[in-house]
Amino acid sequence: MLTWSSTATLMGTVAGRDWVIPPGYGLWVPGGIEHAGAVLHAGEMLTITFAADRCPITWTEPTCFTVGSLLGEIITHLHHIAPDDHSRPAAEALMFELLTPLPTHDIHVTLPTDPRARTIAEQLIAHPADQRELTAWADHVHASVRTLSRLFRAETGLNFATWRAHVRIRAAIPMLANGTSVNATARAIGYHKPSAFIAAFRRVTGQTPGTYLPQPQ
């Protein structure tokens, strides 16, 4: 099964693990794996299923990928045509060729379960450029800074600043993949200085933002 979010923010639970799917991303779920989903923020999304015996994708684990303009058009086409449409085999073949897996750490962000920390997390996923620090968030959700710090570390494995950096970098990847410049992407996700964005990107992914920019043909 393939799920693509064009403008929604989704959460898929696959084999007991939560996967946040922000706009511009897709999630591939192999056959035979139990899964469920929820919409964190409403928008457009598409889901397509494929017959296992006709699918060349051999990924054995849930796998995320970015969706550029061409891949998005093909997924949309496949979603709207009939199963026996004459164009389906060619469209599916091209789609499979364009699916490129991303490393798990580039995508997966653990969501806290405590309602107070969860509220903050969902708002930052929807608006990664939000500059509020924990002091302001503490007032917003009626909790102490110490409590929120403890919750983020205990429930996500990261401190708040690092968790937010992961959210921002993940939001940056589809922008870069669609050709948005490094400077514009940095500003869009809350970094005032491109150098700070590049440093954070390297810490999270082990690569530079330029790695995700479209390569000249």
Side-chain angles (χ1 to χ4, degrees):
M1 183 186 79
L2 178 151
T3 296
W4 166 46
S5 168
S6 54
T7 60
T9 300
L10 312 172
M11 183 177 70
T13 301
V14 185
R17 182 179 179 185
D18 289 340
W19 298 75
V20 176
I21 310 169
Y25 281 101
L27 178 66
W28 176 270
V29 179
I33 296 180
E34 184 177 352
H35 59 274
V39 177
L40 299 181
H41 295 280
E44 296 183 359
M45 52 84 66
L46 299 175
T47 295
I48 309 173
T49 58
F50 300 90
D53 59 348
R54 299 201 310 272
C55 178
I57 297 295
T58 58
W59 304 337
T60 58
E61 301 290 336
T63 303
C64 283
F65 52 90
T66 55
V67 179
S69 56
L70 176 57
L71 182 55
E73 290 291 338
I74 295 170
I75 294 172
T76 301
H77 173 72
L78 287 169
H79 182 263
H80 286 106
I81 62 175
D84 58 352
D85 188 282
H86 72 280
S87 67
R88 179 170 290 276
E92 286 188 359
L94 181 55
M95 187 204 74
F96 292 137
E97 286 292 326
L98 293 173
L99 287 179
T100 303
L102 288 174
T104 298
H105 68 263
D106 284 335
I107 299 298
H108 183 250
V109 172
T110 301
L111 287 172
T113 57
D114 181 272
R116 295 161 295 181
R118 183 77 168 222
T119 295
I120 298 169
E122 291 184 359
Q123 291 196 35
L124 285 173
I125 287 169
H127 307 287
D130 194 314
Q131 297 290 338
R132 281 178 286 182
E133 298 296 339
L134 270 187
T135 302
W137 284 115
D139 291 338
H140 181 69
V141 298
H142 308 294
S144 69
V145 172
R146 173 179 286 187
T147 295
L148 291 177
S149 296
R150 175 180 56 79
L151 287 170
F152 267 91
R153 188 175 290 280
E155 298 188 355
T156 72
L158 303 171
N159 64 39
F160 173 75
T162 304
W163 184 91
R164 181 173 61 182
H166 281 228
V167 168
R168 286 176 167 178
I169 298 311
R170 189 192 52 200
I173 290 173
M175 298 177 64
L176 294 166
N178 285 327
T180 305
S181 71
V182 172
N183 287 358
T185 299
R187 291 192 300 270
I189 62 169
Y191 287 95
H192 298 305
K193 296 181 178 180
S195 59
F197 167 55
I198 293 170
F201 200 99
R202 189 187 292 274
R203 283 195 300 272
V204 172
T205 69
Q207 300 170 317
T208 64
T211 304
Y212 287 84
L213 289 170
Q215 299 302 309
Q217 299 299 316

